[in-house]
Amino acid sequence: MSTLNPLLALRAGILAHLTGDAALAGLMGGRVQLYDEPPPGTVPVYALFGDGEVRDDSVEGARRHRHALALSVFAKPGSTRSALDAAERIGSLLDEAELGLSGHHLVLLRLKTLAGSRDERTGEARATLSFEAVTEVAA
């Protein structure tokens, strides 16, 4: 049985998959910036892991988990498009991707939604991607 939490394994797999993409790095100012929390001084465009939920989805003979996971992409000031372009690239890289996961096997990863929004108080624009995934504990 795996000791790595399935959500953490999925997040690590996503990060590893996105990190090597030159086009995404270009949209994010030269390197892929995907964080749990932005380091001090981080300037957009960057992405954060958002809410995540894991539910048991076991079937006979396989310990499985169903995931709901969000990523938020923060825009350059005055440029909603900067967030939407980066989010679109992330979505295209992850939708139906085959990721290597530590202690788990990825059965499904699908982009469900991509939405743009603006914080009324700060005016900050962002794009949010919602994914669904199914993982299986590696034997």
Side-chain angles (χ1 to χ4, degrees), residues 26-27 29 37 42-43 45-46 51 53 73 82 85 102 108-109 112 115 117 124-125 127 130:
L27 292 167
E37 298 289 334
T42 301
V43 296
V45 173
Y46 65 87
D51 292 340
E53 179 179 81
V73 181
S82 65
D85 285 347
S102 178
L108 168 77
L109 179 59
K112 290 184 66 172
S117 63
E124 180 178 71
S130 299

Side-chain angles (χ1 to χ4, degrees), residues 94-97 108-113 130-134:
L94 293 179
D95 189 45
E96 302 291 335
L108 168 77
L109 179 59
R110 184 175 299 140
L111 176 64
K112 290 184 66 172
T113 62
S130 299
F131 293 92
E132 67 177 347
V134 176

Side-chain angles (χ1 to χ4, degrees), residues 14 18 24 28 34 46-51 68-74 83-95 110-117 126-132:
I14 287 171
L18 295 178
L24 181 58
M28 293 184 148
L34 174 56
Y46 65 87
L48 297 179
F49 284 107
D51 292 340
L69 177 72
L71 295 175
S72 292
V73 181
F74 292 81
L84 291 171
D85 285 347
E88 179 65 31
R89 182 66 184 161
I90 290 169
S92 70
L93 289 168
L94 293 179
D95 189 45
R110 184 175 299 140
L111 176 64
K112 290 184 66 172
T113 62
L114 190 163
S117 63
R126 73 181 68 162
T128 303
L129 302 107
S130 299
F131 293 92
E132 67 177 347

